[in-house]
Each structure stands twice: as C-alpha cells, then as structure tokens.
C-alpha cells in the first residue's frame, strides 16, 4: 500500500505560479508511471502531466510550455505551474502506478483568480 499526500495548492493570480508536491510513503522509483491529474467542477478528471518509465514526459496540450513535472527524489513528484490561467482552476491529484496497482492522493485545490 502506498499513501500519496499532495501539498502546495492554493490561490494564485492569473500569470502567477504555484508548485505542487506529492510525497509518497515509499520509494516510487520503480513505478511504471507517476503523474498529475486534475478535475474541474462539472468536468471529468484529465491528465495534466506524467513521467513514464524510462523518463519520458507527457503533458496535456493545454499546459505545455507552462507546467513542468519532475521526480525530485525517490519519494516525491512535483508539478511546477507557471503562467497560470483561470481555466487551470481544479482539484489536482497525484497518481502512481506501481507493481500493478494504481494509487491516488486526496487532491489539492488550485484556484486561479484575480
């Protein structure tokens, strides 16, 4: 069992930045993939960014060039979000696929508003 805890959400102005962190209760270096999803009110959960095994990065078109995902150490995945837009407002979830099982964090709210 792996627990994932997100932090770093909050309120930002359009054009601002936030940094989300996901702390895992165990090493996730051997994960098949690790990433971030988000869900806005009334919308389906969508992929934001993912690190695939081997290090390949994938981003949603809507965040390319603005968001950066990284695996900082054996237990942490971060999402640096720059040039935020109101449409980035959502609950952001950390996701890890490890040893055939999928794990989710509890989510952290990101609100972009002036």
């Amino acid at each position: 069992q792996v627990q994932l805890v997100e932090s770093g959400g909050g309120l930002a102005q359009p054009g601002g930045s936030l940094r989300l962190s996901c702390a895992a209760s165990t090493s996730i270096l051997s994960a098949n993939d690790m990433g971030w999803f988000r869900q806005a009110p009334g919308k389906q959960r969508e992929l934001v960014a993912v690190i695939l095994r081997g290090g390949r990065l994938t981003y949603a078109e809507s965040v390319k060039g603005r968001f950066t995902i990284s695996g900082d150490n054996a237990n942490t995945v971060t999402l640096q979000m720059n040039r935020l837009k109101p449409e980035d407002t959502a609950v952001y979830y950390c996701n890890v696929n490890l040893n055939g099982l999928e794990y989710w964090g509890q989510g952290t709210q990101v609100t972009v508003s002036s």
Side-chain angles (χ1 to χ4, degrees), residues 30-95:
S30 62
N32 286 330
D33 56 75
M34 57 188 82
W36 290 89
F37 287 71
R38 68 185 180 187
Q39 187 166 18
K43 295 187 176 181
Q44 289 189 330
R45 191 172 296 190
E46 63 175 1
L47 174 69
V48 177
V50 63
I51 303 174
L52 302 174
R53 176 169 280 196
R56 187 161 63 94
L57 308 180
T58 299
Y59 294 93
E61 284 295 326
S62 60
V63 307
K64 279 184 179 178
R66 301 187 299 120
F67 291 11
T68 303
I69 187 172
S70 61
D72 290 348
N73 55 49
N75 300 76
T76 306
V77 180
T78 62
L79 184 69
Q80 177 66 42
M81 305 186 294
N82 298 327
R83 292 186 283 140
L84 284 162
K85 303 176 180 180
E87 51 263 43
D88 294 320
T89 296
V91 178
Y92 284 70
Y93 298 90
C94 180
N95 172 270

Side-chain angles (χ1 to χ4, degrees), residues 4-9 20-22 36-39 45 90-95 104-110:
L4 304 174
V5 178
E6 301 101 334
S7 61
L20 304 183
S21 289
C22 173
W36 290 89
F37 287 71
R38 68 185 180 187
Q39 187 166 18
R45 191 172 296 190
V91 178
Y92 284 70
Y93 298 90
C94 180
N95 172 270
W104 292 91
Q106 81 288 351
T108 185
Q109 176 69 47
V110 170

Side-chain angles (χ1 to χ4, degrees), residues 94-113:
C94 180
N95 172 270
V96 172
N97 286 283
L98 179 66
N99 297 329
L101 297 176
E102 184 175 39
Y103 300 94
W104 292 91
Q106 81 288 351
T108 185
Q109 176 69 47
V110 170
T111 302
V112 184
S113 174

